[in-house]
Amino acid sequence: MIIESEQYRYEDHQEQERIKSKISLEFLLTGLRDRLQDTQIVEALTDSQVVNLTTAIETLLAWIQKNQFEAKTAYEDKKVEFCKKMQPILSSIRSKVPKSFNLPAPTLGEPNPEDA
């Protein structure tokens, strides 16, 4: 009985970690998508940068919807790939908008609700 409960506890923990990874990725993407509605952000980018960023966000959000039960590592890998690919665009935004403008940081840590 104890061994069985330990197994369930382990499985629950694994599921919790998988869900955290998925939510962290979704949080980053939706935060960035919401910020793209702001004129300060759009004006800081070229048209092609806006299109590239929007396309990357929407593509990855669609992937998440189709792959709701992927492993934790799949979500983490997608997040790292997205952050590396979009880093030049995000750096451009940060350098051109006021410091007080809150843009979600593409980190690999836990989501921060204040960044949304």
Side-chain angles (χ1 to χ4, degrees):
M1 185 85 134
I2 293 173
I3 295 171
E4 190 175 301
S5 69
E6 287 295 317
Q7 178 63 29
Y8 288 134
R9 191 174 101 202
Y10 174 76
E11 290 172 3
D12 288 346
H13 177 73
Q14 294 298 100
E15 182 65 7
Q16 182 181 22
E17 292 299 311
R18 184 191 71 76
I19 291 169
K20 281 182 183 179
S21 293
K22 178 180 168 241
I23 289 171
S24 177
L25 178 56
E26 286 177 320
F27 184 83
L28 171 68
L29 296 171
T30 56
L32 288 171
R33 182 180 61 191
D34 292 347
R35 293 296 190 258
L36 283 174
Q37 304 303 313
D38 190 286
T39 56
Q40 284 182 302
I41 297 291
V42 174
E43 290 173 358
L45 300 172
T46 65
D47 290 342
S48 66
Q49 287 176 319
V50 172
V51 169
N52 287 343
L53 186 54
T54 303
T55 302
I57 290 168
E58 295 304 325
T59 300
L60 198 44
L61 285 171
W63 178 86
I64 292 170
Q65 290 301 313
K66 290 179 184 175
N67 299 280
Q68 291 285 317
F69 299 103
E70 283 293 323
K72 173 186 173 184
T73 56
Y75 295 118
E76 290 172 345
D77 291 347
K78 290 288 187 179
K79 186 174 184 179
V80 168
E81 180 183 323
F82 174 82
C83 291
K84 284 181 181 178
K85 184 178 177 183
M86 294 296 121
Q87 188 59 42
I89 296 173
L90 298 176
S91 294
S92 175
I93 294 170
R94 283 194 176 83
S95 69
K96 295 177 183 175
V97 296
K99 297 284 185 213
S100 61
F101 194 83
N102 195 10
L103 185 67
T107 63
L108 302 178
E110 293 296 313
N112 183 353
E114 295 174 12
D115 290 341

